[in-house]
Amino acid sequence: MTNTPEVLFVCVHNAGRSQMAAALLDHHAKGKVQVRSAGSAPTDRLNPVVVAAMAEVGIDLSRELPGPLTDASVKAADVVVTMGCGDACPVYPGKRYEDWQLQDPAGQPIEVVRAHPRPDRPTRPATPH
């Protein structure tokens, strides 16, 4: 058993939002967090516009594949971040759940996908002190 926290990012197709979020956390956590992503109805490949947008910030998603959401992946996670998967994500007591309202990049031009959270700008508005 490891003491490394695990975060699971979930969206419907696991081809855009969840892949971007997982890659960004993995990149910035530098091994201090185990990161996974999954989809409630995964597609067969990542959105190529997402892959291109992430490449612009130095993150290579070209070898990633969408994966299915499983009970085991949710049970293993300390934090589950959902992004539009609705009721498809199983809920287990003792897990921390976050629901992020992010626009689905499917069918969007790269200019819109670039507007998603990135390493060079905050993912959420700063909280006033």
Side-chain angles (χ1 to χ4, degrees), residues 28-51:
H28 290 289
K30 300 185 186 322
K32 295 179 183 170
V33 177
Q34 175 70 34
V35 183
R36 298 180 191 271
S37 69
S40 56
T43 61
D44 61 341
R45 65 185 180 108
L46 265 59
N47 179 333
V49 177
V50 165
V51 174

Side-chain angles (χ1 to χ4, degrees), residues 84-106:
C85 66
D87 295 334
C89 188
V91 176
Y92 292 100
K95 300 289 174 193
R96 178 177 165 196
Y97 289 86
E98 297 279 336
D99 185 42
W100 291 0
Q101 301 297 317
L102 297 175
Q103 181 180 0
D104 188 347

Side-chain angles (χ1 to χ4, degrees), residues 9-98:
F9 292 97
V10 183
C11 67
V12 176
H13 297 121
N14 191 222
R17 295 169 287 191
S18 57
Q19 291 280 350
M20 292 173 77
L24 287 166
L25 177 56
D26 187 57
H27 176 77
H28 290 289
K30 300 185 186 322
K32 295 179 183 170
V33 177
Q34 175 70 34
V35 183
R36 298 180 191 271
S37 69
S40 56
T43 61
D44 61 341
R45 65 185 180 108
L46 265 59
N47 179 333
V49 177
V50 165
V51 174
M54 294 300 286
E56 290 178 356
V57 295
I59 297 176
D60 182 10
L61 292 181
S62 65
R63 293 184 189 96
E64 299 299 323
L65 295 171
L69 176 64
T70 65
D71 281 349
S73 62
V74 176
K75 287 179 182 177
D78 297 296
V79 178
V80 179
V81 180
T82 59
M83 302 173 201
C85 66
D87 295 334
C89 188
V91 176
Y92 292 100
K95 300 289 174 193
R96 178 177 165 196
Y97 289 86
E98 297 279 336

